[in-house]
Each structure stands twice: as C-alpha cells, then as structure tokens.
Amino acid sequence: MAEAAVEFAIDTLSSLLVQEIKLLGNAREEVQSIKSELESIRSCLRDADAKAAAEEEGRSNEGVKTWVKQLREEAFHIEDVLDEYILKKAQLTRGSGFLGVLRKISRFVKKLKLRHEVATAIQDIKSSLDDIKRRRQDFNFRDEGSSSGIGGVIPHDSRVGSFFIEDSEIVGIESSKHKLIDLLVSQRSSLSVIAMVGEGGLGKTTLAGKIYDNDVVKKHFDCQVWITVGKEYMKKDLLQTIKRQVNCQTGYASGEMEDTEEMNEMNLTTALRKLLKDKCYMVVFDDVWKDDFWEDVKYALLDNNKGSRVMLTTRYMNVADSVPSVNVHKLEHLPSDKAWELFSRKAFGFNMSCPTELKKLSHEILAKCGGLPLAIVAVGGILSNKNKAVSEWQKLLCGLGSKLGSDPHLRSCNRVLSEGYYDLPHHLKSCLSYFALFPQGFKIVFGRLIRLWIAEGFVQYSKSYSLEQVAEDYLTELIDRSLVQVSERKVSGRVRTCKVHDLMHEILLKKTKELSFYGDLSGEDMSHKTRRISVNRGTDDALERIKDSKIRSICLFDVDKLPQSFMSTFFANFKLLKILDFEDGPVEYLPDGVGKLFHLHYLSLKRTNIKELPKSIGMLINLETLDLNYSFVTELPVEIKNLKKLRCLIIWHKEDFCPKIHEGLGALTNLHKLYSVEANSEFVGELKQLRQLRRLDIVLENRDWKDLFHVVKNMENLERLRVTSKVKAEIVDVSSMASPPQSLQSLFLQGNIKKLPFWISELQKLIKIQLVFRGTTDIDPISVLQALPNLLKLVIRVTYCDEKLHFEEGWFPKLEELHLVNFGELKWMVIDKGSMPNLKEFRIGPSPLLTELPTGIEHLIYLKRLIFLMMPKEIYWMMKGENWEKLTKQIPEVLATYKHAFGFGFCYNTRYLSSLSCEDFEQLVEKQSHP
C-alpha cells in the first residue's frame, strides 16, 4: 500500500513541476529532488512490503513495518501539502476595475505567502525523506528489478498437510476427482494439459494429491513427478528438479545420474526430452503463479504420443490461458449441504450432531466461511475445542476477523488468503483494498466500483483505451487471480455485481486500517490519518472526532438517519474530499458549500431524497461523475455546463420522468455516459459535440428522431443507445433514418414504430435489442432480427401480433435470453429443432390466448428458466395437459407470475401450483387479487 501512496505522490509532483513553474520559484529544484528520491525509494518497495508481510509470520523485526509506515505517512503528507496548495491557488479569483486592482494586489501578496508556505513544507518533507533514505540502508532492501536471490523451487510448508489429508476428512471432491482421473487415463495419445484453477483454500493441492496417489493413475503412468513451484523459482533449478525426480522414478542409481549442476538450460532440456521419450509420464506442477510458466517447461515436456499428461494447479486464470489447448477445471466453493457436512465433522466429530441451540449460530459462522474448505476446517477445528455454549460460539462469530492472524488454527488460512494480496502490483492492491469500504457480503455494482477507482486515481492513463476500459481490465485481473468473486454477470458476460470472500474482507479490513487506507466512522479506534471513511448505521459525534483529519472520501451504508448538523459540519471541515457517495442515504438537501470542494471527483446522490441541486455545483470543475439516479431532482441548474471534466451524468428519475436540462450541455465534451434526458431540437444539435459518448439514453419528440440519428452516426465509440418517443400515439418513421455506428452493442427503441430500419440487421456487434412497439405494427421483428450473428438478448413488447409465431431452424444462433412481452393475440408457437440452440431463459406473456406449451420446446436443451408473465390461470390449466410433465421435466425452473391491480407481483413455481386443487388455486388467486 505504500507503493500506491508513493506512486500517487510522484504523479502529483510531476504535474506540479509542469504547471506551476513560476509560483514554485526556487522551490522547484527541491520539488524535483523529492520526486527523484521517491522514485528511488519506489524501486525497493515491493521488497519492503514482502518483509513487512514476513513480520506477520514472526520472521523479521518490527523495524521494517515501521519504516514502511513512515514512508507511507510522508507520501500522504506530500499529497496533503500539494492538494492544499492547489486548493488555495484556485481560490485566488480574478477581478476588474478599481476593486479588481485591489484584488490583484491582494492576490499578489497571497501568492507570495503561498509560495513561502509551500517552500517551507517542501523543505520539511525533504528533511524527512533524507532520514527515511538513511534508515533504508539498515534493511538492505532489494530493488524491484533485481534478482530474487532465491535459487530453486520455493518450499511451501503450509501445503504439505494438504497432500496427506485422510479421505474420510474430505468432502465434496468426488465428482471432480473422477472427472479428472478420466481425463488423465483417457485413450488420447497426444500430450494434454489439465489446469485446476481456483482461489486459495479451495483444496486444489488436496484434490491433485488424491488424484496423483490414486491406484488407477499410478498403474497407468510409467513415471510420476510432483513439483511445488511457488511464487519464485529459477528456470534451471526447476528443470533440475524435474530431471532428478524422473531419474529416481526410472531406477537410475545415484552414481549413474548425470551431474546436473554443470548443465545449462539447453542441455537440461535435451536430457529431459531423452529421458521422457519412451515413457507415458505424468507431471504435476502445484501452486503456479507466473503466467509465463509454461514457456519455461514446454520444450522439456515433449509430446511423445504415449498418452502423457501434465497437471497444474493455480489461482490465476491467465496461467491456464497461457497453455495451448488446455483443459481448464475450475474449482467451485462447496455447496451448502457439503459445507455443513464438513463443518459438522470438524466441529462435532463424526458421530456427533449439532445441538439445537447452536444450529442458528453454526450456520452464521459457516456463512462466513463462504464454502471455502480451508476456512471451514480451520473454524471447525477451533470450535471442536470449545465448550458447546452459545456464549462461546457467539464470541467466535463476532471476533473471527481478529483471530485470523493470531489463532493457530486460522494462521494458515490467513497466510493462504493473504498470499494473493501480497502478490499484487501496487495499483491492484489499492483496487482490491477498496472492497473493505463496503459492508461484508455487499454486492458492488460494476459501474459504481470502476467509477470510484477512477475518481481515486487508481486507474492508470492509457493512450489506447479509456479509463473505464482500463478499470474493467483491472477488475478482470482481480477475478482471474481468484481474489474477487463475480456475483452476477450480464448476458454479454461482463460483470454486473461482484464481491470478495467474507474472510478476505476481514483481511482487507485489518490491512486497510493498519495502513490508514480506510476506517469505519462507527468504530472507536479509527486513526485521524485515515484517508477514507464509511458511515455504517449511527454517526453521533463521529465527525467531531475526526474533524482535523485529511479524509478524501466518504460513503454511507445502512444509515437511517443523519444528525441535523452532519451536512454543514461535513462541508465545513473536509476541504480535500474527492468522493462523496451518499447512495441510499437519508440525505434531504445538498448545501451550497458543496461548491467549495474543489478536488471533488465523484458525487453520488442515487436514491436519496434530494429535490434540487445548488447553483454552486457548477464550481466543481474537477467533477467526473454526477449520479442522480432515482433521486427527486427535476431540473439541472444551468451551471452544470461548467463541469468540463464530467465523464458520467446519470439522471434517471424515480417517476420515469426525465429531468429538465438547459442549453449548454454540449460543452461537456468529455462525457462518456449520459442518461436519461428529455431533449428538444436545440439539445439534439448540441449532441454533435459529445463525440466521446459510449452510452446515450434520450427521450424526444418524434420530429427530432431523424436529426438524432444523423448526429449519432458520427459517435464512433457509442455502445449503448436508448431512444424513447415522447408522444406515444404519433407514428415514428425509423426506416429512413441514418444508421448508428457499427460499434453499437445495445439498442432500445420505444415508440409507435410501423417499420424497422433497414440497417438494424447490419449491426453485427449487437448483443442486446429491446423493442417496445406502441400501437399496431405491420412488421414481424423476429424474422427481421433472426440472422444477427452475435445477438444474446432480445426483448420485444407488442400489443398486437399474429396468431402464430414460428421460430425456424438456424434462427438466432447465439441467443441466450428471449422476452416476448404482451403478445396478446398469440395462440400457437412453434420452435423448430436447431432454432435458438443456446437459449437459457425464455419469458413470455401475458398471452391469454396461448393454451398450450410451444411446440418443439423440448429442442431447447440448454433452457434453464421458463417464465410465463402474469398468466397463472392459463398455466394452471396448461399443466393439466398430458404433455406438460414430459416437455418441462428437463427445465430446472418453470415459473408463473401474477400481478394484481396495485402493481405488486407474485411468482409461483409451477410444481407448487400443480400440487393445488382447483378450489385451492381459485382461493389463492382471489387472495392475491385482494391483498
């Protein structure tokens, strides 16, 4: 984490040196000296962090951790000095006339004073860094690019136990074990590689060990080699280790073995190929970290067409991806029943059951383990030695996080989970640490997370990609490193929500508080040097306790009520804020003082009770994100046009009403996302200037559609377009309008559309289409869209349609979700074999005339969910047909929804509905109709 603080300080100093030559005066040389010194120190920080991590295991002295802490605090000090300097400089406003002359003189005096202040602060910083530099020599830190100094494969003592666990103590690996053994002993003669991928603690080594030691596997291979690789190794030492083990397996006497110490990599590779030439061999590489690992071993492991196999275990998906034609086996967390079985064995013994009074607590404790076998075994081991008393188990539940680094049972678990964190580069450490700000188990929306990262300055600038694209790559890497879990994906495969494992969250909480990265405002021991705070539940006098701190961000979670003085106190005391995330908070107003937050980059008022924005919002010239999603803001002040750095403006209204906007938004040329706005002809003209837009959601008069599409065709980066007609009855002629750019991936059109545009079938990158037809239509949108090669989701809402709908063979080759909403005239549906071969979710209704299941629905072999919308009565009688069970048995989830007059919906599993008698069903419908 010190790396991130130093990196940010260097970037800020670089910017200052370029922009502030005159004001810095003689201090410029000192600033350059500080920047150079930080760059020198940065090169050894990874080694310093590694040594600080070793201190957690008691293998070093406390001095390293103190040195890293002092460096981090000095980097924070640099950031504070520069941010305060930039803020004061921005406050020196211009004037005119006689008063302007006086103001000019006053500004000159203030600039002299400011120059003196910054020069003095820089001298103090330089003196502190000189002392830190001298102390660095005491610890003999290695530079980042120097040799590791470690020769050979790194032993991992904590993994040895995983190899020798008894079969009786293992739960939930049988299916994976049999599947992998089948792959190993299959009749395929060519060399194949199996990669076992999963986060630390899932049991990769245990599973690989059980496979390696299996009698069927042993008999199949002429020789077997097991290599624990680890984070650091030398290629030559790795090849030597493989060769020694092969020699031992093939019966060479020690005196007959070649002296590998004198052999170079070429000779070792040649010797290994010679040894393995006539053998059916198996090599297991356990705990691989580096994505270029395969390049180091691939030439030594020749394909001899003897059915040889290589298996590797890794936390990183990119390690597996680096191997050509690899068979990837992703380990999953234990399902709830298997997790409970393992927990019960460890906590209560094989013949003991959980006492009734402990069941609820046991499940809560088990939930914290998140299906991670290593954690379940460790926690179960602790509980097995405790009294079976509610108070004892409650104490463990509340203090599990604090025990991670101290309890002998949990120390190994802590080490395994922390390894991935320590292996991260500095920018990804900061990104992962950000998950600590959110409550445990909180599913974070992808867009919110990456916008926060960008606002914090964690995302590095790229000439080739936008900041959002770079941030998405960061998240993908954290996921591929098995550090972040995907909770939900969009149909495109992109992340919708994500989180970290509960125990990883505990580890991040501990580390971020130690490093002053984050603090919980409801906690009593929060450091005044904390950079970020979250407000969880009550606040009381917490702000008063930290009013002298230099916090940069604040987030609200689960707060029902804020003190009356919260907003005024907050804006008066924290001038260096970058982030204000009030999402879902009880915020009623935004004080005019918000305009003084010069450094503010991110402001979220999503789902708050705020009704208007102060005019001072226009003073936030560094603001990048303004999120008013589902707030009560009905009009944007004209001063919004001053926010030239704004990248994301979200103003979707709670009442499905778009806030009024003023002219001038065309000046926001950095906008990437704009939704949802109600536009007039003048604003459509201004859109020409917003060439960076990637998402646009707009409501407009029918006469302006043609002009809009003429503008949109030049937005080369546009990925998502949503256009809604303001006047429902008036016909929109879309057929003659210009085509959107080929980059478009998502299209939503809503209006009285009689004919689809010719270009819609030419948008080859379209993944998602939503069409809402108001009034009658003469077109068959399904036959028009069926050939789109990459379409994954199709939503069509109509009022009138044909009686019969026929999906022909070859239609919609990649479609995974189909929603047919309304289709009130539909009586029959036919699905040919070979149509929609990848469909996973199918929603239809209300279609009151549809009295039987679609013919050919059995051809949808991947269908996981079938939902009939607002038609429970029709489905109830449909279930009475003789073919219902036969046609639906392969579909895991078949549901029927009902919506009564007040708009509340009910969803029923059809298995439940089929169990009801006619009288019970009628009573159910009557009850739901009049709740």
Side-chain angles (χ1 to χ4, degrees):
M1 294 304 296
E3 288 178 88
V6 169
E7 190 71 35
F8 187 81
I10 290 171
D11 291 344
T12 309
L13 287 167
S14 300
S15 176
L16 186 74
L17 286 167
V18 171
Q19 300 176 20
E20 307 296 341
I21 295 174
K22 291 182 179 180
L23 186 58
L24 287 173
N26 294 332
R28 176 176 168 78
E29 292 183 3
E30 302 290 349
V31 172
Q32 181 62 61
S33 174
I34 290 173
K35 178 174 174 286
S36 299
E37 189 56 51
L38 285 174
E39 288 171 340
S40 173
I41 291 173
R42 175 181 58 183
S43 66
C44 71
L45 269 175
R46 282 188 73 84
D47 188 44
D49 270 0
K51 290 184 176 181
E55 290 182 354
E56 292 188 12
E57 302 300 323
R59 297 195 300 266
S60 184
N61 61 69
E62 192 66 25
V64 176
K65 189 178 290 187
T66 302
W67 183 88
V68 172
K69 179 182 178 182
Q70 289 174 345
L71 176 60
R72 183 182 65 251
E73 290 178 353
E74 201 55 48
F76 286 164
H77 183 205
I78 293 170
E79 182 187 357
D80 292 340
V81 168
L82 298 183
D83 281 353
E84 286 171 347
Y85 156 71
I86 293 169
L87 175 62
K88 289 177 181 178
K89 179 176 176 290
Q91 292 170 344
L92 299 176
T93 56
R94 296 181 179 180
S96 58
F98 176 70
L99 288 176
V101 172
L102 293 179
R103 290 194 184 108
K104 189 174 182 180
I105 294 171
S106 175
R107 285 200 307 273
F108 177 74
V109 173
K110 289 178 180 178
K111 281 184 178 181
L112 287 176
K113 182 180 179 183
L114 184 54
R115 181 187 298 179
H116 176 72
E117 287 176 357
V118 74
T120 301
I122 286 169
Q123 283 291 340
D124 292 341
I125 291 168
K126 191 172 185 302
S127 176
S128 296
L129 281 179
D130 286 341
D131 182 57
I132 290 172
K133 179 182 178 182
R134 284 192 297 271
R135 294 193 64 223
R136 182 180 74 172
Q137 298 170 0
D138 298 338
F139 301 106
N140 191 29
F141 292 127
R142 290 182 289 108
D143 283 350
E144 189 173 40
S146 66
S147 172
S148 68
I150 302 175
V153 182
I154 304 301
H156 281 246
D157 293 339
S158 62
R159 310 178 66 80
V160 173
S162 301
F163 196 88
F164 297 104
I165 296 175
E166 295 295 331
D167 289 347
S168 59
E169 295 187 21
I170 298 174
V171 172
I173 69 167
E174 284 305 309
S175 61
S176 294
K177 178 181 171 182
H178 293 316
K179 178 181 178 182
L180 291 171
I181 288 175
D182 287 343
L183 284 173
L184 287 170
V185 301
S186 66
Q187 296 304 310
R188 180 180 173 181
S189 60
S190 59
L191 176 71
S192 64
V193 183
I194 300 168
M196 205 183 299
V197 184
E199 68 184 275
L202 271 179
K204 300 182 296 296
T205 301
T206 301
L207 176 56
K210 292 302 175 186
I211 293 170
Y212 183 84
D213 205 35
N214 180 267
D215 288 338
V216 173
V217 173
K218 282 183 174 182
K219 290 176 182 178
H220 183 80
F221 294 101
D222 298 330
C223 69
Q224 291 176 276
V225 175
W226 180 287
I227 307 289
T228 300
V229 181
K231 290 184 182 180
E232 308 232 17
Y233 65 87
M234 301 293 288
K235 179 179 177 181
K236 179 180 176 181
D237 298 320
L238 182 64
L239 296 175
Q240 286 176 335
T241 305
I242 300 172
K243 188 173 182 300
R244 281 195 297 269
Q245 290 204 32
V246 172
N247 280 333
C248 291
Q249 288 274 319
T250 52
Y252 275 81
S254 58
E256 298 175 344
M257 294 184 189
E258 301 171 79
D259 185 5
T260 60
E261 295 298 329
E262 301 301 321
M263 299 174 72
N264 59 28
E265 290 178 8
M266 173 70 77
N267 292 336
L268 279 167
T269 300
T270 302
L272 259 174
R273 291 173 67 90
K274 183 179 178 181
L275 274 172
L276 298 173
K277 182 179 179 181
D278 299 318
K279 295 177 178 61
C280 176
Y281 64 85
M282 173 188 180
V283 181
V284 176
F285 294 109
D286 185 38
D287 196 33
V288 180
W289 290 72
K290 295 183 178 180
D291 56 8
D292 58 355
F293 169 79
W294 187 248
E295 292 296 316
D296 290 337
V297 299
K298 67 178 182 180
Y299 294 113
L301 305 173
L302 81 164
D303 185 356
N304 56 13
N305 286 313
K306 297 286 186 181
S308 298
R309 302 288 183 260
V310 176
M311 178 184 285
L312 58 88
T313 71
T314 181
R315 302 177 184 211
Y316 296 172
M317 183 56 71
N318 59 350
V319 170
D321 290 340
S322 68
V323 184
S325 304
V326 66
N327 288 304
V328 177
H329 181 81
K330 292 189 70 174
L331 261 68
E332 303 293 341
H333 295 85
L334 289 178
S336 57
D337 58 333
K338 294 296 182 182
W340 178 254
E341 181 183 344
L342 181 59
F343 176 81
S344 297
R345 285 187 185 182
K346 300 305 295 184
F348 307 112
F350 286 94
N351 300 317
M352 293 181 63
S353 60
C354 177
T356 304
E357 67 273 14
L358 292 178
K359 277 194 174 179
K360 184 175 183 294
L361 273 173
S362 294
H363 282 289
E364 290 178 5
I365 292 170
L366 185 59
K368 289 229 178 223
C369 299
L372 200 67
L374 180 65
I376 295 171
V377 169
V379 172
I382 295 175
L383 292 172
S384 67
N385 295 323
K386 289 187 176 295
N387 294 326
K388 303 301 183 283
V390 170
S391 59
E392 285 287 321
W393 291 49
Q394 183 67 54
K395 185 178 178 181
L396 175 72
L397 176 63
C398 297
L400 191 58
S402 62
K403 286 183 174 291
L404 274 171
S406 58
D407 191 280
H409 290 88
L410 287 172
R411 198 170 292 145
S412 176
C413 184
N414 180 67
R415 180 168 54 249
V416 168
L417 293 175
S418 296
E419 277 181 328
Y421 167 84
Y422 283 118
D423 191 57
L424 290 170
H426 69 84
H427 61 284
L428 290 183
K429 266 185 193 164
S430 298
C431 292
L432 181 62
S433 297
Y434 218 76
F435 283 84
L437 274 71
F438 296 85
Q440 193 170 92
F442 191 92
K443 295 178 181 179
I444 310 169
V445 175
F446 162 77
R448 179 185 188 183
L449 180 64
I450 65 169
R451 287 193 285 271
L452 285 166
W453 284 351
I454 291 170
E456 288 278 5
F458 296 161
V459 182
Q460 298 169 347
Y461 170 76
S462 168
K463 290 183 179 180
S464 305
Y465 302 99
S466 69
L467 290 173
E468 288 80 5
Q469 289 170 321
V470 175
E472 185 169 0
D473 287 344
Y474 287 2
L475 182 58
T476 300
E477 185 169 354
L478 289 172
I479 293 167
D480 287 348
R481 285 172 174 260
S482 303
L483 292 169
V484 171
Q485 301 173 349
V486 178
S487 304
E488 184 182 4
R489 289 189 183 273
K490 300 177 182 177
V491 69
S492 63
R494 297 173 75 178
V495 178
R496 186 186 299 277
T497 58
C498 58
K499 63 174 186 174
V500 292
H501 190 280
D502 283 0
L503 293 183
M504 175 57 76
H505 189 270
E506 295 281 6
I507 289 170
L508 292 176
L509 275 178
K510 180 183 176 183
K511 294 188 186 304
T512 52
K513 288 180 180 179
E514 286 175 354
L515 299 169
S516 302
F517 181 90
Y518 156 75
D520 183 348
L521 200 59
S522 60
E524 296 182 359
D525 57 346
M526 193 176 65
S527 168
H528 278 253
K529 294 178 181 177
T530 293
R531 313 304 276 182
R532 299 159 189 87
I533 60 173
S534 65
V535 182
N536 290 282
R537 300 173 298 280
T539 56
D540 301 326
D541 65 340
L543 279 182
E544 184 66 26
R545 288 189 280 118
I546 61 158
K547 66 180 181 181
D548 297 325
S549 65
K550 307 289 185 181
I551 63 170
R552 294 303 195 276
S553 71
I554 182 168
C555 302
L556 303 184
F557 298 104
D558 298 323
V559 178
D560 297 325
K561 185 178 180 181
L562 289 171
Q564 192 169 2
S565 61
F566 182 87
M567 299 299 279
S568 57
T569 303
F570 191 80
F571 289 103
N573 287 290
F574 307 109
K575 303 295 187 184
L576 303 181
L577 278 167
K578 288 185 177 180
I579 291 170
L580 280 176
D581 192 340
F582 291 149
E583 182 172 328
D584 290 311
V587 180
E588 303 289 338
Y589 74 101
L590 199 63
D592 199 55
V594 69
K596 296 179 180 179
L597 301 180
F598 176 79
H599 292 288
L600 198 65
H601 288 200
Y602 180 100
L603 176 59
S604 176
L605 303 170
K606 184 176 181 178
R607 286 193 291 267
T608 63
N609 295 322
I610 286 181
K611 297 179 177 60
E612 63 178 345
L613 298 177
K615 294 182 182 298
S616 63
I617 199 84
M619 297 169 63
L620 302 176
I621 61 173
N622 288 304
L623 195 65
E624 296 172 343
T625 293
L626 178 58
D627 190 347
L628 305 173
N629 210 8
Y630 300 112
S631 70
F632 291 96
V633 175
T634 58
E635 182 176 358
L636 296 181
V638 68
E639 288 78 11
I640 288 288
K641 66 182 180 182
N642 297 326
L643 309 182
K644 300 298 196 312
K645 292 186 180 180
L646 203 61
R647 300 173 66 87
C648 185
L649 179 57
I650 309 173
I651 44 180
W652 197 293
H653 200 270
K654 279 186 176 180
E655 306 299 328
D656 199 22
F657 166 78
C658 299
K660 180 181 177 182
I661 59 172
H662 296 278
E663 295 179 19
L665 243 61
L668 306 182
T669 55
N670 279 314
L671 269 182
H672 282 60
K673 295 189 176 183
L674 175 61
Y675 61 101
S676 173
V677 294
E678 184 176 318
N680 53 26
S681 301
E682 290 74 17
F683 180 70
V684 171
E686 288 191 65
L687 282 174
K688 294 178 183 178
Q689 302 170 61
L690 307 184
R691 299 291 294 274
Q692 300 299 316
L693 278 179
R694 284 171 164 75
R695 176 175 178 179
L696 174 62
D697 188 337
I698 191 167
V699 178
L700 69 171
E701 300 281 356
N702 293 12
R703 64 175 180 271
D704 295 323
W705 278 54
K706 189 170 185 178
D707 290 338
L708 173 71
F709 277 88
H710 183 72
V711 171
V712 163
K713 73 176 182 180
N714 295 314
M715 295 179 178
E716 297 178 355
N717 299 307
L718 194 67
E719 295 177 351
R720 300 175 66 180
L721 175 64
R722 180 183 176 112
V723 187
T724 303
S725 176
K726 189 176 179 181
V727 181
K728 296 182 179 181
E730 189 176 342
I731 296 174
V732 182
D733 181 12
V734 191
S735 60
S736 60
M737 295 178 187
S739 170
Q742 289 295 309
S743 58
L744 202 67
Q745 297 178 20
S746 176
L747 176 65
F748 178 103
L749 299 177
Q750 179 173 331
N752 193 351
I753 301 169
K754 296 298 182 183
K755 187 176 181 182
L756 286 175
F758 70 92
W759 43 256
I760 199 166
S761 58
E762 298 176 0
L763 296 174
Q764 300 293 295
K765 293 185 179 180
L766 272 179
I767 294 173
K768 177 181 176 181
I769 298 179
Q770 290 182 265
L771 301 173
V772 179
F773 295 98
R774 290 170 171 166
T776 59
T777 181
D778 302 325
I779 58 176
D780 177 8
I782 291 176
S783 61
V784 173
L785 302 172
Q786 55 84 18
L788 284 169
N790 293 301
L791 193 65
L792 298 175
K793 182 173 182 177
L794 174 62
V795 180
I796 300 177
R797 182 187 292 268
V798 298
T799 304
Y800 304 97
C801 66
D802 292 337
E803 291 184 348
K804 185 176 181 179
L805 187 57
H806 185 191
F807 290 88
E808 300 180 22
E809 180 182 359
W811 282 18
F812 300 106
K814 289 189 178 180
L815 196 69
E816 294 183 5
E817 282 190 41
L818 176 62
H819 299 202
L820 302 178
V821 186
N822 287 348
F823 282 75
E825 309 296 315
L826 185 65
K827 293 182 178 179
W828 302 281
M829 186 186 305
V830 178
I831 303 171
D832 288 348
K833 187 174 183 179
S835 176
M836 303 184 289
N838 294 297
L839 198 67
K840 296 176 182 176
E841 179 168 314
F842 185 11
R843 297 175 181 241
I844 183 169
S847 302
L849 301 182
L850 188 67
T851 57
E852 60 183 53
L853 281 167
T855 302
I857 196 168
E858 68 273 13
H859 297 145
L860 305 178
I861 60 175
Y862 294 109
L863 192 63
K864 296 290 186 290
R865 176 180 287 185
L866 175 61
I867 304 176
F868 295 95
L869 303 170
M870 293 174 281
M871 44 193 299
K873 289 185 177 181
E874 292 83 353
I875 298 307
Y876 182 76
W877 294 111
M878 200 182 290
M879 287 187 296
K880 301 298 183 183
E882 59 182 18
N883 289 327
W884 174 269
E885 185 64 30
K886 176 183 176 182
L887 295 176
T888 61
K889 66 179 179 180
Q890 87 281 6
I891 306 172
E893 199 171 19
V894 183
L895 305 172
T897 70
Y898 180 77
K899 190 174 181 181
H900 62 64
F902 298 100
F904 298 102
F906 301 91
C907 187
Y908 303 102
N909 189 298
T910 55
R911 289 184 177 86
Y912 166 71
L913 291 181
S914 65
S915 68
L916 300 177
S917 66
C918 294
E919 294 78 10
D920 290 340
F921 176 73
E922 290 295 338
Q923 289 179 11
L924 177 68
V925 172
E926 179 68 19
K927 179 181 178 181
Q928 302 298 4
S929 300
H930 302 91

